Short mmCIF file of all heavy atoms in Angstrom, two decimals:
data_model
loop_
_atom_site.label_atom_id
_atom_site.label_comp_id
_atom_site.label_asym_id
_atom_site.label_seq_id
_atom_site.Cartn_x
_atom_site.Cartn_y
_atom_site.Cartn_z
N SER A 75 -1.83 15.77 -14.49
CA SER A 75 -2.73 16.45 -15.42
C SER A 75 -3.75 17.19 -14.58
O SER A 75 -4.74 16.62 -14.14
CB SER A 75 -3.40 15.45 -16.37
OG SER A 75 -4.04 14.46 -15.63
N PRO A 76 -3.49 18.47 -14.31
CA PRO A 76 -4.31 19.21 -13.34
C PRO A 76 -5.77 19.33 -13.76
O PRO A 76 -6.07 19.47 -14.93
CB PRO A 76 -3.66 20.58 -13.27
CG PRO A 76 -2.58 20.60 -14.26
CD PRO A 76 -2.43 19.27 -14.87
N LYS A 77 -6.64 19.30 -12.74
CA LYS A 77 -8.07 19.53 -12.97
C LYS A 77 -8.40 20.97 -12.60
O LYS A 77 -8.56 21.80 -13.46
CB LYS A 77 -8.91 18.57 -12.12
CG LYS A 77 -8.99 17.18 -12.64
CD LYS A 77 -9.93 16.37 -11.78
CE LYS A 77 -10.05 14.95 -12.28
NZ LYS A 77 -10.87 14.13 -11.41
N LYS A 78 -8.53 21.25 -11.30
CA LYS A 78 -8.87 22.61 -10.85
C LYS A 78 -8.53 22.73 -9.37
O LYS A 78 -7.62 22.05 -8.91
CB LYS A 78 -10.33 22.91 -11.11
CG LYS A 78 -11.27 21.87 -10.58
CD LYS A 78 -12.69 22.18 -10.99
CE LYS A 78 -13.57 21.00 -10.58
NZ LYS A 78 -14.90 21.08 -11.00
N ALA A 79 -9.23 23.56 -8.64
CA ALA A 79 -9.08 23.75 -7.19
C ALA A 79 -7.73 24.33 -6.82
O ALA A 79 -6.80 23.62 -6.51
CB ALA A 79 -9.33 22.44 -6.45
N SER A 80 -7.63 25.65 -6.87
CA SER A 80 -6.35 26.32 -6.66
C SER A 80 -5.79 26.14 -5.25
O SER A 80 -4.58 25.97 -5.10
CB SER A 80 -6.48 27.81 -6.97
OG SER A 80 -7.38 28.40 -6.08
N PHE A 81 -6.63 26.16 -4.20
CA PHE A 81 -6.12 25.98 -2.84
C PHE A 81 -5.51 24.59 -2.69
O PHE A 81 -4.41 24.45 -2.17
CB PHE A 81 -7.22 26.17 -1.80
CG PHE A 81 -6.76 25.86 -0.41
CD1 PHE A 81 -5.91 26.74 0.26
CD2 PHE A 81 -7.13 24.69 0.23
CE1 PHE A 81 -5.45 26.45 1.54
CE2 PHE A 81 -6.69 24.39 1.50
CZ PHE A 81 -5.84 25.28 2.16
N SER A 82 -6.20 23.58 -3.16
CA SER A 82 -5.68 22.22 -3.05
C SER A 82 -4.43 22.04 -3.90
O SER A 82 -3.51 21.32 -3.52
CB SER A 82 -6.74 21.21 -3.47
OG SER A 82 -7.84 21.27 -2.61
N LYS A 83 -4.38 22.70 -5.04
CA LYS A 83 -3.20 22.61 -5.90
C LYS A 83 -1.99 23.23 -5.20
O LYS A 83 -0.90 22.68 -5.23
CB LYS A 83 -3.45 23.30 -7.24
CG LYS A 83 -2.34 23.07 -8.24
CD LYS A 83 -2.45 23.94 -9.48
CE LYS A 83 -3.73 23.78 -10.21
NZ LYS A 83 -3.75 24.56 -11.48
N ASN A 84 -2.21 24.37 -4.56
CA ASN A 84 -1.12 25.02 -3.82
C ASN A 84 -0.69 24.18 -2.62
O ASN A 84 0.49 24.10 -2.31
CB ASN A 84 -1.54 26.42 -3.37
CG ASN A 84 -1.64 27.38 -4.54
OD1 ASN A 84 -1.01 27.16 -5.58
ND2 ASN A 84 -2.44 28.41 -4.38
N LEU A 85 -1.64 23.56 -1.95
CA LEU A 85 -1.32 22.68 -0.84
C LEU A 85 -0.50 21.48 -1.32
O LEU A 85 0.47 21.08 -0.68
CB LEU A 85 -2.62 22.20 -0.17
CG LEU A 85 -2.48 21.48 1.16
CD1 LEU A 85 -1.84 22.40 2.20
CD2 LEU A 85 -3.85 21.02 1.63
N SER A 86 -0.87 20.96 -2.47
CA SER A 86 -0.12 19.85 -3.05
C SER A 86 1.32 20.27 -3.37
O SER A 86 2.27 19.52 -3.10
CB SER A 86 -0.82 19.37 -4.32
OG SER A 86 -0.10 18.34 -4.93
N LYS A 87 1.48 21.46 -3.92
CA LYS A 87 2.82 21.97 -4.23
C LYS A 87 3.65 22.15 -2.96
O LYS A 87 4.85 21.86 -2.95
CB LYS A 87 2.73 23.29 -4.99
CG LYS A 87 2.24 23.16 -6.40
CD LYS A 87 2.12 24.54 -7.05
CE LYS A 87 1.50 24.46 -8.41
NZ LYS A 87 1.32 25.79 -9.01
N LEU A 88 3.01 22.64 -1.90
CA LEU A 88 3.70 22.82 -0.62
C LEU A 88 4.20 21.48 -0.09
O LEU A 88 5.36 21.35 0.29
CB LEU A 88 2.78 23.49 0.40
CG LEU A 88 3.32 23.55 1.83
CD1 LEU A 88 4.49 24.54 1.91
CD2 LEU A 88 2.22 23.93 2.79
N PHE A 89 3.32 20.47 -0.07
CA PHE A 89 3.73 19.15 0.41
C PHE A 89 4.79 18.53 -0.49
O PHE A 89 5.68 17.83 -0.03
CB PHE A 89 2.53 18.22 0.54
CG PHE A 89 1.67 18.51 1.73
CD1 PHE A 89 0.31 18.65 1.60
CD2 PHE A 89 2.23 18.64 3.00
CE1 PHE A 89 -0.49 18.91 2.70
CE2 PHE A 89 1.45 18.90 4.11
CZ PHE A 89 0.09 19.04 3.96
N PHE A 90 4.72 18.81 -1.79
CA PHE A 90 5.73 18.30 -2.72
C PHE A 90 7.11 18.87 -2.36
O PHE A 90 8.09 18.13 -2.27
CB PHE A 90 5.35 18.68 -4.16
CG PHE A 90 6.29 18.16 -5.19
CD1 PHE A 90 6.26 16.82 -5.55
CD2 PHE A 90 7.19 18.99 -5.83
CE1 PHE A 90 7.13 16.32 -6.52
CE2 PHE A 90 8.05 18.52 -6.79
CZ PHE A 90 8.02 17.18 -7.14
N CYS A 91 7.17 20.18 -2.13
CA CYS A 91 8.45 20.81 -1.75
C CYS A 91 8.94 20.32 -0.40
O CYS A 91 10.13 20.00 -0.24
CB CYS A 91 8.30 22.32 -1.72
SG CYS A 91 8.02 23.05 -3.34
N LEU A 92 8.05 20.21 0.56
CA LEU A 92 8.44 19.72 1.89
C LEU A 92 8.93 18.27 1.83
O LEU A 92 9.87 17.90 2.52
CB LEU A 92 7.28 19.85 2.87
CG LEU A 92 6.93 21.27 3.29
CD1 LEU A 92 5.66 21.29 4.12
CD2 LEU A 92 8.08 21.90 4.05
N THR A 93 8.31 17.47 0.98
CA THR A 93 8.74 16.08 0.82
C THR A 93 10.16 16.02 0.30
O THR A 93 10.99 15.25 0.79
CB THR A 93 7.78 15.34 -0.13
OG1 THR A 93 6.47 15.38 0.41
CG2 THR A 93 8.20 13.89 -0.30
N TRP A 94 10.48 16.85 -0.70
CA TRP A 94 11.84 16.86 -1.23
C TRP A 94 12.85 17.35 -0.20
O TRP A 94 13.96 16.83 -0.11
CB TRP A 94 11.91 17.73 -2.49
CG TRP A 94 11.55 16.94 -3.71
CD1 TRP A 94 10.35 16.94 -4.36
CD2 TRP A 94 12.38 16.01 -4.40
NE1 TRP A 94 10.40 16.07 -5.42
CE2 TRP A 94 11.63 15.49 -5.47
CE3 TRP A 94 13.68 15.56 -4.23
CZ2 TRP A 94 12.14 14.54 -6.36
CZ3 TRP A 94 14.19 14.63 -5.11
CH2 TRP A 94 13.43 14.13 -6.16
N ILE A 95 12.49 18.37 0.57
CA ILE A 95 13.39 18.89 1.61
C ILE A 95 13.66 17.82 2.66
O ILE A 95 14.81 17.58 3.05
CB ILE A 95 12.81 20.17 2.23
CG1 ILE A 95 12.83 21.31 1.21
CG2 ILE A 95 13.57 20.56 3.50
CD1 ILE A 95 12.00 22.52 1.62
N VAL A 96 12.60 17.16 3.12
CA VAL A 96 12.75 16.15 4.16
C VAL A 96 13.56 14.96 3.65
O VAL A 96 14.41 14.43 4.37
CB VAL A 96 11.37 15.71 4.70
CG1 VAL A 96 11.47 14.50 5.58
CG2 VAL A 96 10.72 16.86 5.45
N VAL A 97 13.32 14.52 2.42
CA VAL A 97 14.08 13.38 1.90
C VAL A 97 15.56 13.76 1.74
O VAL A 97 16.44 12.93 1.99
CB VAL A 97 13.48 12.83 0.59
CG1 VAL A 97 13.88 13.62 -0.63
CG2 VAL A 97 13.89 11.37 0.40
N ALA A 98 15.84 14.98 1.37
CA ALA A 98 17.24 15.40 1.24
C ALA A 98 17.94 15.40 2.60
O ALA A 98 19.06 14.90 2.74
CB ALA A 98 17.32 16.79 0.61
N ILE A 99 17.26 15.94 3.61
CA ILE A 99 17.84 15.95 4.96
C ILE A 99 18.05 14.53 5.47
O ILE A 99 19.11 14.20 6.00
CB ILE A 99 16.94 16.76 5.93
CG1 ILE A 99 16.96 18.24 5.55
CG2 ILE A 99 17.37 16.56 7.37
CD1 ILE A 99 15.89 19.06 6.26
#
Side-chain angles (χ1 to χ4, degrees):
S75 55
K77 283 185 180 176
K78 52 185 173 186
S80 63
F81 174 74
S82 297
K83 188 190 303 185
N84 289 337
L85 191 61
S86 178
K87 288 177 186 178
L88 172 70
F89 285 130
F90 183 76
C91 292
L92 289 173
T93 301
W94 274 101
I95 291 167
V96 170
V97 81
I99 292 169

